[in-house]
Amino acid sequence: MDFTPSEEQTAAQGLAARIFGDLSTHERLTAAGTGTDAELWKELCAAGLPAAVEDVGLLGLVLVLEEQGRTTAQVPLAATCVYGLLAVAAHGTPEQRERLLPGLRDGTAVATGAFPARGGVHIAEDGALYGSVAWVPWLRDATHVLVADAERGLWIVRTGEPDVTAVPVETTAPWSAGRLVLDGVRGERLGNGQPGAYADVLATARTAFAGLQAGVCAGSLARAVHHTVTREQFGRPLSTNQGVLLRAADAHMDTEAIRVTAYEAAWRHDERRDRTAQALTAAWWASEAGKRVVHAGQHLHGGTGADLDHPVHRHFLWGRQLDAYLGCGGEVLEELGLLLAHSSQEGAS
């Protein structure tokens, strides 16, 4: 395994770091409230970052999403790339790719996904889609939603259709989420309904959002380090206390574990190797370790961390949202255990 980024991947990460660092500031995030930073999204699309994902692969996307996570930038980058660009490129028909990808590349179309499948959407005998999904990230911005039905079939649904309703909901993190209600809409099947498409998209999503969590945790830890180095107590910096050092060190190790497992899953995806277990491993670390890191980041700020307007609180909110999105630690661990048991039985037979 070699996770060394290519020149193109390094360039995409560097560009993302510059744009997010310059534009996703505390002041702009405060002004955005729980909505999307539309100007930042335009800047990312003008720079060609969403379009670059097809060239830099999933590992490149993970690197870019790390930079988004460091600043908790409120743009639908992960959702559009995972449920739009990568899903259509991998599983769409030639006609779907030709029709849908240009808008997803330049940002005039925004995609999201009603994932994972929890049996909320069903197909009627006439082929129409009915049901609801309690919350879908970035739904308020989306022009297209990739819907997984109860049988794990994938459908592309346009949010502008009269039989599609998006009810705004507020989630832990400000992800412009909404409740999706389908009342007999005629969805468009993604590709030709090939088996394995749902599992592939879900594994890709888990890997990408694990990369986003790695950035969220890195940003939280960086803020905690700065605070403990610059704030003094009893005449010396807080960072000189052994308890503080140990807590920060544990958070650093957890963050690196999230990062390296996300890198491995992404690398295996790009190399066209089986990565089901690796994606579940990355999701488990993102959930369990991510939760620990953002709690540590807030605790290391002391009383300041309790201020809801402090920048570190955003990392806490994002970390807790990512902890449960696409399956919390216990759910993911159960999936991984069943997968390993099944693989062991097959090897013994």
Side-chain angles (χ1 to χ4, degrees):
M1 292 180 290
D2 183 5
F3 305 151
T4 305
S6 65
E7 290 185 12
E8 292 79 7
Q9 290 168 338
T10 301
Q13 184 182 26
L15 179 60
R18 180 179 63 80
I19 295 175
F20 286 129
D22 289 345
L23 298 183
S24 186
T25 62
H26 175 60
E27 293 73 22
R28 286 176 67 101
L29 288 168
T30 300
T34 60
T36 296
D37 188 334
E39 292 303 315
L40 175 55
W41 178 241
K42 290 179 182 178
E43 186 71 22
L44 291 170
C45 295
L49 276 174
V53 170
E54 293 174 89
D55 297 321
V56 300
L58 184 55
L59 180 56
L61 175 59
V62 165
L63 294 170
V64 169
L65 291 177
E66 272 193 79
E67 302 305 324
Q68 179 185 358
R70 290 179 198 275
T71 60
T72 60
Q74 292 173 200
V75 287
L77 181 60
T80 291
C81 290
V82 168
Y83 301 121
L85 279 161
L86 293 179
V88 173
H91 303 290
T93 64
E95 188 278 331
Q96 286 175 329
R97 292 196 292 269
E98 182 179 359
R99 171 167 47 88
L100 296 172
L101 288 178
L104 293 167
R105 290 176 184 137
D106 64 22
T108 54
V110 174
T112 188
F115 272 66
R118 300 191 187 277
V121 176
H122 301 272
I123 309 172
E125 291 184 1
D126 61 358
L129 297 173
Y130 291 87
S132 64
V133 180
W135 74 277
V136 178
W138 308 109
L139 183 60
R140 284 179 262 167
D141 300 319
T143 56
H144 299 77
V145 185
L146 187 62
V147 176
D149 64 35
E151 303 301 320
R152 299 190 171 183
L154 298 182
W155 303 84
I156 302 169
V157 172
R158 294 184 61 89
T159 57
E161 296 293 327
D163 297 320
V164 179
T165 304
V167 182
V169 298
E170 297 301 332
T171 53
T172 302
W175 285 3
S176 297
R179 180 172 181 264
L180 179 67
V181 181
L182 306 176
D183 188 19
V185 66
R186 296 283 179 173
E188 175 185 353
R189 172 78 77 170
L190 177 64
N192 298 313
Q194 59 267 51
Y198 168 81
D200 179 70
V201 174
L202 180 57
T204 299
R206 281 173 164 162
T207 303
F209 281 95
L212 186 61
Q213 181 75 302
V216 169
C217 291
S220 175
L221 183 57
R223 291 189 182 279
V225 169
H226 179 267
H227 175 78
T228 56
V229 167
T230 56
R231 187 173 179 85
E232 292 189 356
Q233 187 177 57
F234 305 118
R236 62 177 186 173
L238 288 172
S239 60
T240 60
N241 294 317
Q242 187 178 41
V244 172
L245 289 171
L246 293 174
R247 191 78 187 277
D250 286 343
H252 171 73
M253 294 302 296
D254 273 337
T255 301
E256 289 303 298
I258 300 169
R259 178 181 287 117
V260 73
T261 52
Y263 285 5
E264 181 184 4
W267 176 82
R268 292 183 70 92
H269 170 276
D270 294 341
E271 293 293 316
R272 300 186 183 280
R273 302 188 184 193
D274 179 66
R275 43 60 191 253
T276 307
Q278 287 76 16
L280 286 166
T281 302
W284 183 83
W285 276 103
S287 176
E288 294 294 307
K291 182 166 48 182
R292 290 195 297 265
V293 173
V294 295
H295 274 270
Q298 201 165 27
H299 291 166
L300 287 172
H301 278 76
T304 306
D307 183 357
L308 301 186
D309 295 323
H310 193 282
V312 77
H313 189 67
R314 292 194 186 91
H315 293 272
F316 176 78
L317 295 177
W318 278 64
R320 291 312 308 257
Q321 189 74 62
L322 287 163
D323 156 37
Y325 183 49
L326 300 177
C328 65
E331 292 174 309
V332 171
L333 190 62
E334 181 181 15
E335 280 189 58
L336 181 58
L338 292 172
L339 175 67
L340 295 177
H342 180 69
S343 299
S344 177
Q345 290 173 358
E346 284 189 338
S349 61

